[in-house]
Amino acid sequence: MKAPPANGSPANPAEGERKSINSELWHACAGPLVSLPTAGSQVVYFPQGHIEQVAASMQKEMDAIPNYLSLPSKLICVLHNVTLHADTETDEVFAQMTLQPVDKFLQKYDREALMASEMGLEQNKQPTEFFCKTLTASDTSTHGGFSVPRRAAEKIFPHLDFTLQPPAQELVAKDLHDISWTFRHIYRGQPKRHLLTTSWSVFVSTKRLLAGDSVLFIRDEKSELLLGIRRANRQQPALSSSVLSSDSMHIGILAAAAHAAANSSPFTIFYNPRASPAEFVIPLAKYTKALYTQVSLGMRFRMMFETEECGVRRYMGTITGISDFDPVRWKDSQWRNIQVGWDESTAADRPTRVSLWEIEPVATPFYICPPFFRPKFPKQPGMPDDEAEAENTFKGAIPCLGDDFGIKGTQSQLFPGLSLVQWMTMQQNSRLNSSTSQPTYVPSMAASIPDSICNDPTRLLSFQSHTSSLPNLQGGFKLNPSSQQSDQHQKAQQQNSTKIQIQQKQESLTHLKQDKHYNQQQDQQQILTKVQSLNEQLQPSSYQIQQQQTQTQNSHSIQGEILLSPTSHQSPVHFQSNYHFQQPVEQQQHSLLQQQIQMQLLQTLQHQQVLSQISAQLHCKLSQQLPVQNQQFHQQQNFQQLPAHQIAVLAMSQCLAYLAKCCKNFRTSMTCK
Amino acid sequence: MKAPPANGSPANPAEGERKSINSELWHACAGPLVSLPTAGSQVVYFPQGHIEQVAASMQKEMDAIPNYLSLPSKLICVLHNVTLHADTETDEVFAQMTLQPVDKFLQKYDREALMASEMGLEQNKQPTEFFCKTLTASDTSTHGGFSVPRRAAEKIFPHLDFTLQPPAQELVAKDLHDISWTFRHIYRGQPKRHLLTTSWSVFVSTKRLLAGDSVLFIRDEKSELLLGIRRANRQQPALSSSVLSSDSMHIGILAAAAHAAANSSPFTIFYNPRASPAEFVIPLAKYTKALYTQVSLGMRFRMMFETEECGVRRYMGTITGISDFDPVRWKDSQWRNIQVGWDESTAADRPTRVSLWEIEPVATPFYICPPFFRPKFPKQPGMPDDEAEAENTFKGAIPCLGDDFGIKGTQSQLFPGLSLVQWMTMQQNSRLNSSTSQPTYVPSMAASIPDSICNDPTRLLSFQSHTSSLPNLQGGFKLNPSSQQSDQHQKAQQQNSTKIQIQQKQESLTHLKQDKHYNQQQDQQQILTKVQSLNEQLQPSSYQIQQQQTQTQNSHSIQGEILLSPTSHQSPVHFQSNYHFQQPVEQQQHSLLQQQIQMQLLQTLQHQQVLSQISAQLHCKLSQQLPVQNQQFHQQQNFQQLPAHQIAVLAMSQCLAYLAKCCKNFRTSMTCK
DNA sequence: TTGTGGGCATCGAGCCGACAA
DNA sequence: TTGTCGGCTCGATGCCCACAA
């Protein structure tokens, strides 16, 4: 709209985005959490999320337009096309996607398709050679230029000729629209610093940057400088569309999707990562993967958020409820059907509802769940065999792909009529059933517990002690299910297993008072030795531990997986663990990391064992005494005033949080800087 | 988004349009042609027009989305609510309307309802105390201020104290968002002039005004100054919506309307008068009125357009076709179903297709059409009487309100199977039938012309000479239908009728070489005398000439009407003529204007006679020699290569254009300045 | 009557180091 | 290491009239 300033600083304007937008720069501007599904892959489209995006951009609650088109809450689509764009006025990044709903009857769900789809799983395209700075008042004032952080200047900018007095050069960087900006880069002042002076203010005013907004510089493969902006989350001017009412937009989204779904014809959507509260086009693989997460009340999870300085941070939270976000118009939708609470009080801007695929469950015994366990085809009514019976038992415990491709609402929730204990028992049985080497039929406890027992803690206790005894995993850790004292239990663990010692080591790093003079280097060596012995312990068993590591150009990740395969023809139980690094991992670090991962996985296994014990004891003693020392927990809660079930949930959450923290601290201390 | 500049010039910002927008200012910014239907009235909503608006704002052709919702091309609605808005960023004006489709089965169409609805007919709300200036390069440069046109300053601004040296004052004006702007108003320079200096440039830069944009000042009822802007039609930045694809918008419009239509529920639309190529919410009365216009190929019409300087101008055009704008998706739609050509070659930016209600037909013999002629109820099949027969004859000649409220497509088009001559004959017969004092039945010529005649010009000639002899209107002008030479014909006209002399006088003003020393004052006197005699000629006849003049506060118009009433109990044939003035008409000018109007109407009658002759001759000679001298026409077209029908249409158009120009020049010379 | 440009005063944009967080 | 400030310079802003269309 505006002609480029006369001083010629922004030059070479590409008329109307002829040249496609630089992907690296786009992703840098979009933020570290944004990843786009790849073209050609299968995705799940959520109309509710799409509407949220429009509502957010209009800064307007969407009116109560009924979903009269009977559009399903999600559409499985083929993603034909993804193109990157940037608003010419505001530099806002957005992506245009062409989706084509997959015909219901053609939807074939088999492992191969899923695996193939997994190839197109998101990659974090955050460029490595970049820096991002939030602008200060001085940076944006007309009084001066831009103060470049020293590290950033040295890493990204062409090196200055320090023989000059003062050292200075012309810096040319291209923005999203392929427009070149030329700044004077000078190293001066007392003490010396890197500054961008001439033309900087033109850039600021042209882009209408304010203090709090961010600029980012990238050095791409060709060593060319790229320049992007990322505006603060301050209130935006509400996109006052003067041509289309929000109602029409709302209904337009529904109708476009409904029309496409009815005809299996392509439709086009815009995804604006900075405007949208959440992604609404999810890679099918990611979605499917998330389906295996068994969510339940009180479950602990992590979720990634973007920090001020272009970084990411995981926040911990607890699931406080599972229910339809909009029970009237979008019944049984998986969109934001999980109500959550956040650990930190500064969680004002974090959502109170999330979707399954947004969260990373923190491993607990309840989430061990065999993939591909359920038969591919829906059970025929009246089928009398054991498998059908087992299926009923595990309904709710095992995510499955039904006719409508997905869990049908209530199935993924807790059984409303069951107590927590009953439910837990079921979980244990399901695990038992799938991980023991004998695929024998274990009767459903849920069905057999009389109501009278559920409502009487003392009777429950005795019942519990009968049924919750766990099978010992081979190559693993023998736990005493009947131990009543947590101290004793922990001591027993420490004595019986080397792994518990490792766990205690990590705890000592942060909370416990023992081992104050902890030596990291020495500890790592110790760990390596122990991992080695662990491996030896596990390898000869009937279970297998597998490890994978991948390192692509853009993201560096190492993935570990434990597959517990009782028999060769039965689907394996698996645990996963991932490491992501922004910087490439040095070759010599690889083996170390691999072993760390292996160990972490084993720890997870171990924690699950411990937690099973804890939960069992919990219900015996009703949190008079916590199995794990956690003073905070004691101080915060007054248990006497709460009903038994709530105490149980709370105690569980706290235990899980505590253990998860141990894991995380461990990881943090190990992650390469 | 942007904070107001620090110098405090724009003050008192109303947060987010609490206060409703000043209606006068809104209309001034919207333009002189924009009028909104009043709340509570009935309107006709055209989805196609709505989509055009979005397409225009997106600067994108809408993709071929089928109208799969089977939405009718128009919806009769009750207009519940109209609110005025202005874009906070650009000051673009737009209106939000809540429409509720009227249930088909409840739609009652009777004259009373129509009359009642007519009350809510649009009023041109252009304020009287306002001025509008297109900004010059100097006005928008940083070098200086704003040069206020003398008249405007004296009319609108508070009067300066001329005892001061120099005379100056502070001028405060509020914009659409109720933000006050304070300018220094000074009267200085050699020669003296009114200038706005201090703070003017802040206004220009804040509103991002460029040379070519317009500013307008209004003094409202409370004598407060209001300030608006109107941007030039230069290419706008294409509203790159980063959240919603144009497809979704398109389908959203369809779906919202379809949903509302299906449920008779309200829906909301935005009407942006400066972005939209045409109004798409039409007052029912206006629409209904327009239905009585008999459109036909070659018909002459006027249409209002906005001029540079906030004024209006009528352009003349000719109907070149009648067909569906979008025959696939919107069959039988009345939206832009009229193809037109424009008289002036500078008609690049005028539409090639218009809708019925946009045009004012210029009365010609073909458009004489008795209102309320047709029986109120659709004809019963098998009715054998004359009236039914006549109805068949006039099918297409008389707009009627059928069951579906409106003309059902093809009826309003030319009979596809008929030649132009056949069709013209019909028109003439229809006129004959309705305007002669004997309502005798005249057999339809269309039905009796054999195809062989149509395809043979020579035979057509003889046929034509038999059938096209026109009845002489009493008090009118005797024309010789069989005169073969145009020169002779014109000469005869000049000798036989005083009116033809007037016509020639007007022609002489512009195109013909005779009467070079034309004296306007003298001519007007002459005209008056002749009009007087004309009146005397007409008055004693059985036809009546009526005149009306109206002068409301906002628009000053004088309207003339000739009612030709053959008998007292038959509906009159009428011609209308309107004068509109932006400034009040002085009292002493009134009688003069009245007579001008009367004369113009008579001229129209006369032209119609002439044209009938011309068209008859045209088909005899197939434009070997034009009845009216028009060299341009000869040069442009090579008739030998065109089929007969096309030549006829072209020649007709040119003749009509020529005569229309005569009328217009006459009008121009008479209109008070 | 009014658009444009030269003359000229003034203000703020923008470059510098000092200083402190 | 870097955010903010005072000092300083210079060019753009903006007010004036002359001149001409």
Side-chain angles (χ1 to χ4, degrees):
Chain A
M1 183 172 174
K2 247 184 165 177
N7 66 1
S9 177
N12 197 19
E15 294 88 7
E17 282 181 33
R18 293 253 174 90
K19 198 173 165 183
S20 70
I21 282 189
N22 181 290
S23 170
E24 266 189 277
L25 185 55
W26 191 96
H27 276 92
C29 293
L33 294 179
V34 173
S35 55
L36 298 176
T38 51
S41 70
Q42 292 200 23
V43 296
V44 190
Y45 164 78
F46 292 87
Q48 283 172 283
H50 197 181
I51 286 165
E52 268 184 24
Q53 170 176 284
V54 175
S57 346
M58 308 277 296
Q59 305 213 338
K60 183 175 185 295
E61 284 297 312
M62 279 303 182
D63 297 329
I65 290 178
N67 178 11
Y68 68 97
L69 298 155
S70 66
L71 180 66
S73 66
K74 65 171 181 292
L75 291 177
I76 315 291
C77 299
V78 173
L79 176 61
H80 285 305
N81 196 14
V82 186
T83 52
L84 308 181
H85 298 272
D87 189 294
T88 47
E89 284 287 295
T90 64
D91 275 24
E92 240 180 332
V93 288
F94 62 99
Q96 176 180 328
M97 306 189 194
T98 307
L99 303 174
Q100 183 166 18
V102 178
D103 195 304
K104 251 183 199 168
F105 304 100
L106 295 181
Q107 262 176 37
K108 224 175 93 183
Y109 194 82
D110 56 276
R111 207 180 301 187
E112 282 171 37
L114 187 63
M115 293 304 171
S117 151
E118 198 144 359
M119 294 303 106
L121 204 55
E122 51 194 324
Q123 304 170 344
N124 196 330
K125 290 193 180 175
Q126 283 290 303
T128 52
E129 300 290 316
F130 93 113
F131 83 87
C132 173
K133 185 196 175 186
T134 302
L135 297 176
T136 66
S138 297
D139 289 331
T140 51
S141 87
T142 55
H143 192 58
F146 174 59
S147 181
V148 188
R150 183 184 202 83
R151 289 261 180 92
E154 287 167 355
K155 189 172 73 173
I156 305 296
F157 291 167
H159 293 300
L160 285 169
D161 179 359
F162 286 95
T163 60
L164 298 174
Q165 265 319 313
Q169 67 181 341
E170 278 214 333
L171 211 66
V172 181
K174 285 186 175 180
D175 69 8
L176 275 167
H177 310 297
D178 213 43
I179 293 173
S180 290
W181 296 83
T182 306
F183 306 107
R184 178 173 168 82
H185 171 209
I186 192 167
Y187 186 70
R188 62 163 172 81
Q190 197 50 253
K192 291 275 179 279
R193 76 197 65 185
H194 291 272
L195 294 165
L196 298 188
T197 58
T198 309
S199 289
W200 170 254
S201 66
V202 177
F203 178 75
V204 168
S205 61
T206 303
K207 300 290 189 191
R208 300 194 225 173
L209 294 173
L210 300 177
D213 295 337
S214 302
V215 291
L216 43 91
F217 284 86
I218 294 179
R219 199 171 62 206
D220 71 357
E221 312 87 13
K222 294 172 289 182
S223 275
E224 286 190 354
L225 270 186
L226 302 175
L227 169 62
I229 64 176
R230 212 188 283 180
R231 292 183 202 278
N233 284 345
R234 90 180 78 85
Q235 294 307 5
Q236 275 160 15
L239 183 75
S240 72
S241 167
S242 58
V243 291
L244 204 63
S245 71
S246 57
D247 286 357
S248 296
M249 291 192 179
H250 184 156
I251 218 164
I253 288 168
L254 299 179
H259 179 231
N263 301 5
S264 289
S265 61
F267 66 112
T268 300
I269 59 125
F270 286 169
Y271 168 53
N272 184 324
R274 315 278 318 159
S276 196
E279 291 182 355
F280 53 88
V281 178
I282 310 296
L284 181 58
K286 179 181 180 180
Y287 171 79
T288 312
K289 213 169 181 179
L291 281 190
Y292 290 111
T293 306
Q294 170 59 30
V295 290
S296 51
L297 275 187
M299 178 176 133
R300 300 283 304 160
F301 67 92
R302 295 179 301 191
M303 188 166 154
M304 305 259 274
F305 288 92
E306 197 178 313
T307 60
E308 289 288 319
E309 291 296 324
C310 308
V312 294
R313 200 196 131 175
R314 284 177 171 80
Y315 285 88
M316 294 294 297
T318 310
I319 293 178
T320 60
I322 302 167
S323 64
D324 276 331
F325 183 30
D326 185 339
V328 177
R329 277 165 286 169
W330 300 99
K331 192 141 182 59
D332 297 341
S333 166
Q334 288 169 297
W335 182 262
R336 294 195 189 280
N337 68 337
I338 301 172
Q339 294 164 271
V340 298
W342 298 99
D343 288 6
E344 294 170 54
S345 55
T346 58
D349 55 343
R350 276 186 285 285
T352 58
R353 282 179 162 277
V354 297
S355 306
L356 192 59
W357 49 90
E358 293 181 292
I359 59 175
E360 312 163 54
V362 172
T364 74
F366 313 125
Y367 320 127
I368 304 170
C369 119
F372 310 117
F373 179 82
R374 191 167 183 263
K376 271 181 210 166
F377 298 102
K379 156 178 116 73
Q380 296 301 315
M383 222 199 287
D385 60 28
D386 283 355
E387 196 180 1
E389 192 63 36
E391 201 184 320
N392 279 334
T393 307
F394 297 133
K395 220 175 198 175
I398 300 162
C400 50
L401 300 165
D403 311 351
D404 191 24
F405 190 80
I407 297 168
K408 262 289 192 187
T410 52
Q411 295 182 2
S412 66
Q413 300 172 20
L414 285 174
F415 298 149
L418 294 185
S419 74
L420 183 70
V421 178
Q422 288 174 308
W423 172 82
M424 279 169 56
T425 311
M426 282 180 58
Q427 298 297 325
Q428 290 176 353
N429 288 331
S430 82
R431 188 170 61 99
L432 185 73
N433 192 39
S434 61
S435 59
T436 50
S437 50
Q438 284 80 23
T440 52
Y441 173 61
V442 176
S444 163
M445 291 304 152
S448 60
I449 299 176
D451 275 358
S452 58
I453 292 181
C454 294
N455 297 330
D456 184 345
T458 56
R459 295 185 66 181
L460 197 66
L461 168 61
S462 63
F463 178 85
Q464 189 73 15
S465 62
H466 289 164
T467 58
S468 69
S469 62
L470 297 167
N472 292 337
L473 287 174
Q474 290 181 359
F477 332 99
K478 193 176 175 74
L479 302 176
N480 181 6
S482 60
S483 93
Q484 303 280 321
Q485 289 288 328
S486 66
D487 319 41
Q488 284 178 12
H489 161 63
Q490 282 201 354
K491 278 176 194 161
Q493 285 297 113
Q494 283 174 358
Q495 286 157 7
N496 288 344
S497 166
T498 53
K499 276 120 291 174
I500 290 298
Q501 285 178 6
I502 298 172
Q503 181 199 346
Q504 291 294 345
K505 275 281 195 301
Q506 298 315 314
E507 285 169 357
S508 73
L509 274 174
T510 49
H511 296 280
L512 305 178
K513 297 294 161 60
Q514 50 191 112
D515 280 342
K516 272 181 186 165
H517 306 292
Y518 171 76
N519 177 319
Q520 195 182 341
Q521 188 59 41
Q522 184 193 332
D523 192 74
Q524 286 189 3
Q525 190 55 48
Q526 236 178 2
I527 289 171
L528 281 176
T529 319
K530 283 164 186 172
V531 165
Q532 199 58 37
S533 70
L534 271 176
N535 276 345
E536 283 161 13
Q537 274 185 275
L538 275 165
Q539 294 288 7
S541 77
S542 62
Y543 300 94
Q544 296 167 5
I545 295 179
Q546 294 188 344
Q547 260 179 255
Q548 300 171 333
Q549 61 271 358
T550 60
Q551 180 174 357
T552 68
Q553 197 167 8
N554 288 324
S555 84
H556 309 275
S557 69
I558 295 185
Q559 195 175 63
E561 189 170 22
I562 297 185
L563 295 175
L564 299 178
S565 311
T567 70
S568 58
H569 59 275
Q570 207 169 350
S571 293
V573 177
H574 66 201
F575 301 90
Q576 270 204 351
S577 177
N578 293 288
Y579 280 83
H580 286 283
F581 307 99
Q582 289 206 352
Q583 296 183 8
V585 181
E586 297 301 316
Q587 203 58 39
Q588 63 267 29
Q589 290 179 312
H590 259 250
S591 59
L592 177 62
L593 284 165
Q594 283 169 24
Q595 300 204 347
Q596 284 174 14
I597 288 169
Q598 217 166 44
M599 200 196 60
Q600 190 192 341
L601 287 165
L602 292 171
Q603 266 198 328
T604 306
L605 257 181
Q606 179 190 356
H607 284 165
Q608 286 160 0
Q609 298 283 339
V610 175
L611 286 170
S612 297
Q613 294 296 320
I614 290 170
S615 61
Q617 293 180 12
L618 211 58
H619 292 283
C620 301
K621 311 211 100 195
L622 282 173
S623 44
Q624 292 291 333
Q625 195 169 3
L626 278 179
V628 179
Q629 294 161 355
N630 189 332
Q631 294 185 353
Q632 263 196 324
F633 181 49
H634 277 290
Q635 287 160 5
Q636 283 174 359
Q637 310 288 343
N638 183 356
F639 296 112
Q640 313 307 331
Q641 299 171 358
L642 293 171
H645 286 9
Q646 279 193 27
I647 293 172
V649 170
L650 282 169
M652 284 293 296
S653 310
Q654 293 293 332
C655 290
L656 292 166
Y658 175 73
L659 289 172
K661 215 171 215 167
C662 296
C663 286
K664 196 183 136 241
N665 287 330
F666 171 66
R667 259 213 310 287
T668 307
S669 70
M670 293 305 240
T671 300
C672 61
K673 265 245 166 179
Chain B
M1 181 172 172
K2 247 185 167 177
N7 65 1
S9 178
N12 197 20
E15 294 88 8
E17 282 181 34
R18 291 247 176 95
K19 199 174 163 183
S20 71
I21 281 189
N22 182 290
S23 169
E24 267 189 277
L25 185 55
W26 191 95
H27 275 91
C29 293
L33 295 178
V34 173
S35 56
L36 297 176
T38 52
S41 70
Q42 292 200 20
V43 296
V44 190
Y45 165 77
F46 291 88
Q48 283 173 282
H50 197 180
I51 286 164
E52 269 185 21
Q53 170 177 285
V54 174
S57 344
M58 309 278 296
Q59 304 210 341
K60 183 174 185 295
E61 284 297 313
M62 280 301 184
D63 297 330
I65 290 178
N67 178 11
Y68 67 97
L69 298 154
S70 65
L71 180 66
S73 66
K74 64 172 180 291
L75 291 177
I76 315 291
C77 299
V78 173
L79 176 61
H80 285 304
N81 197 14
V82 186
T83 51
L84 308 180
H85 298 272
D87 188 292
T88 48
E89 284 287 295
T90 65
D91 276 25
E92 239 181 334
V93 288
F94 61 99
Q96 178 181 328
M97 305 189 194
T98 308
L99 304 174
Q100 183 166 17
V102 177
D103 195 304
K104 250 184 199 168
F105 304 102
L106 295 179
Q107 264 177 35
K108 223 176 94 184
Y109 193 81
D110 56 277
R111 206 179 301 187
E112 282 172 37
L114 184 64
M115 291 305 169
S117 149
E118 198 144 359
M119 296 300 106
L121 203 55
E122 51 191 325
Q123 303 170 345
N124 196 331
K125 289 192 181 176
Q126 282 292 300
T128 52
E129 301 289 314
F130 93 112
F131 82 88
C132 173
K133 186 196 175 186
T134 301
L135 298 176
T136 65
S138 298
D139 288 332
T140 51
S141 86
T142 55
H143 191 60
F146 174 57
S147 180
V148 188
R150 183 184 202 83
R151 290 258 182 96
E154 287 167 355
K155 189 172 75 173
I156 306 296
F157 291 167
H159 292 301
L160 285 168
D161 179 359
F162 284 96
T163 61
L164 299 173
Q165 265 319 315
Q169 67 180 341
E170 279 212 332
L171 210 66
V172 181
K174 286 186 176 179
D175 70 9
L176 276 166
H177 307 111
D178 213 43
I179 293 174
S180 290
W181 296 84
T182 306
F183 305 108
R184 179 172 166 81
H185 170 207
I186 192 166
Y187 185 70
R188 63 165 169 80
Q190 198 51 253
K192 291 274 178 281
R193 75 195 66 184
H194 291 271
L195 294 166
L196 297 188
T197 58
T198 310
S199 288
W200 171 253
S201 67
V202 178
F203 178 75
V204 168
S205 61
T206 304
K207 300 289 188 190
R208 300 193 225 173
L209 294 172
L210 300 177
D213 295 337
S214 302
V215 291
L216 42 92
F217 283 87
I218 293 179
R219 200 170 62 205
D220 71 357
E221 312 87 13
K222 295 172 289 182
S223 274
E224 284 190 352
L225 270 185
L226 302 175
L227 169 61
I229 63 174
R230 211 189 284 181
R231 293 184 201 277
N233 284 346
R234 89 181 77 84
Q235 294 307 6
Q236 276 161 14
L239 183 77
S240 72
S241 168
S242 58
V243 292
L244 205 62
S245 71
S246 56
D247 287 357
S248 295
M249 290 192 178
H250 184 156
I251 218 165
I253 288 168
L254 299 178
H259 179 231
N263 301 5
S264 289
S265 61
F267 66 112
T268 301
I269 59 125
F270 286 169
Y271 168 53
N272 185 323
R274 315 267 334 149
S276 196
E279 293 182 354
F280 53 88
V281 178
I282 310 296
L284 181 58
K286 180 181 179 179
Y287 171 78
T288 311
K289 213 169 179 177
L291 281 190
Y292 289 110
T293 306
Q294 170 55 29
V295 290
S296 51
L297 273 187
M299 178 176 133
R300 301 283 302 160
F301 67 91
R302 295 180 302 192
M303 188 167 156
M304 306 258 275
F305 288 93
E306 198 178 313
T307 61
E308 288 288 320
E309 292 293 326
C310 308
V312 294
R313 198 194 134 176
R314 284 177 171 80
Y315 285 87
M316 295 294 297
T318 309
I319 293 179
T320 60
I322 303 167
S323 62
D324 277 330
F325 183 29
D326 185 338
V328 178
R329 277 163 287 169
W330 300 99
K331 192 142 181 58
D332 297 340
S333 166
Q334 288 167 295
W335 182 261
R336 294 196 190 279
N337 67 337
I338 300 173
Q339 295 163 271
V340 299
W342 299 98
D343 289 5
E344 293 169 56
S345 55
T346 59
D349 54 344
R350 276 186 285 285
T352 58
R353 282 180 163 275
V354 297
S355 305
L356 193 59
W357 50 89
E358 291 182 294
I359 59 174
E360 313 163 54
V362 171
T364 74
F366 313 125
Y367 320 124
I368 304 171
C369 133
F372 308 115
F373 176 82
R374 191 167 182 265
K376 271 182 213 165
F377 300 104
K379 157 178 116 75
Q380 297 301 315
M383 227 199 287
D385 59 28
D386 282 356
E387 195 179 1
E389 191 63 38
E391 203 184 320
N392 279 334
T393 307
F394 296 134
K395 219 176 199 172
I398 300 165
C400 51
L401 300 165
D403 313 349
D404 192 24
F405 187 77
I407 297 169
K408 263 293 194 186
T410 51
Q411 295 182 3
S412 66
Q413 299 172 19
L414 284 175
F415 301 148
L418 296 184
S419 72
L420 183 70
V421 177
Q422 288 174 310
W423 171 81
M424 278 169 56
T425 310
M426 282 178 61
Q427 299 296 327
Q428 288 177 352
N429 289 332
S430 82
R431 187 173 59 101
L432 187 71
N433 194 37
S434 61
S435 60
T436 51
S437 49
Q438 285 80 21
T440 52
Y441 174 60
V442 176
S444 163
M445 291 303 151
S448 60
I449 299 177
D451 275 0
S452 57
I453 291 180
C454 294
N455 297 331
D456 183 345
T458 56
R459 296 184 65 180
L460 197 66
L461 168 62
S462 63
F463 179 85
Q464 189 73 15
S465 62
H466 288 164
T467 59
S468 70
S469 62
L470 299 167
N472 292 336
L473 288 174
Q474 291 180 0
F477 331 100
K478 194 175 171 78
L479 302 176
N480 182 6
S482 61
S483 93
Q484 303 281 324
Q485 290 288 328
S486 65
D487 319 42
Q488 284 179 11
H489 162 64
Q490 281 201 352
K491 279 177 192 161
Q493 286 298 112
Q494 283 175 359
Q495 287 158 4
N496 289 344
S497 166
T498 52
K499 278 119 293 176
I500 291 297
Q501 285 176 8
I502 299 171
Q503 181 199 346
Q504 290 295 345
K505 276 283 194 305
Q506 298 316 314
E507 286 170 356
S508 72
L509 274 173
T510 49
H511 295 279
L512 304 179
K513 296 294 160 67
Q514 49 192 113
D515 280 341
K516 271 179 186 166
H517 305 292
Y518 171 77
N519 178 319
Q520 194 182 343
Q521 188 61 38
Q522 185 196 332
D523 192 73
Q524 284 190 1
Q525 190 55 46
Q526 234 178 6
I527 289 170
L528 282 176
T529 319
K530 283 163 185 168
V531 165
Q532 200 60 36
S533 71
L534 272 176
N535 276 346
E536 284 161 13
Q537 274 186 275
L538 276 165
Q539 295 288 8
S541 79
S542 62
Y543 298 97
Q544 296 167 6
I545 296 179
Q546 295 186 344
Q547 262 179 254
Q548 300 170 332
Q549 61 272 359
T550 60
Q551 181 175 358
T552 67
Q553 198 167 8
N554 288 326
S555 80
H556 309 275
S557 67
I558 294 185
Q559 195 173 64
E561 190 168 24
I562 297 184
L563 295 175
L564 301 179
S565 311
T567 69
S568 58
H569 59 273
Q570 208 170 350
S571 293
V573 177
H574 65 202
F575 300 90
Q576 270 202 353
S577 177
N578 294 287
Y579 280 83
H580 286 284
F581 307 98
Q582 288 208 353
Q583 298 183 7
V585 181
E586 297 300 316
Q587 202 58 40
Q588 64 266 31
Q589 290 180 313
H590 258 249
S591 58
L592 177 63
L593 283 166
Q594 283 167 24
Q595 299 203 347
Q596 285 175 12
I597 288 168
Q598 218 167 43
M599 201 198 60
Q600 189 191 340
L601 288 165
L602 291 173
Q603 267 199 328
T604 307
L605 259 180
Q606 179 190 356
H607 284 165
Q608 286 158 359
Q609 297 284 338
V610 176
L611 286 171
S612 298
Q613 293 295 321
I614 291 171
S615 61
Q617 292 181 14
L618 211 57
H619 291 285
C620 300
K621 310 213 100 191
L622 283 172
S623 46
Q624 291 291 336
Q625 193 168 4
L626 278 179
V628 179
Q629 295 161 354
N630 190 333
Q631 293 186 355
Q632 261 196 324
F633 182 51
H634 275 291
Q635 287 160 5
Q636 282 173 0
Q637 309 290 344
N638 183 358
F639 296 111
Q640 315 307 334
Q641 298 171 0
L642 293 171
H645 287 8
Q646 280 193 28
I647 294 172
V649 170
L650 282 168
M652 283 292 295
S653 310
Q654 291 293 330
C655 290
L656 292 166
Y658 176 73
L659 288 171
K661 218 171 215 169
C662 297
C663 287
K664 198 187 128 235
N665 288 330
F666 173 66
R667 259 212 312 286
T668 308
S669 69
M670 296 303 241
T671 301
C672 60
K673 264 241 165 178

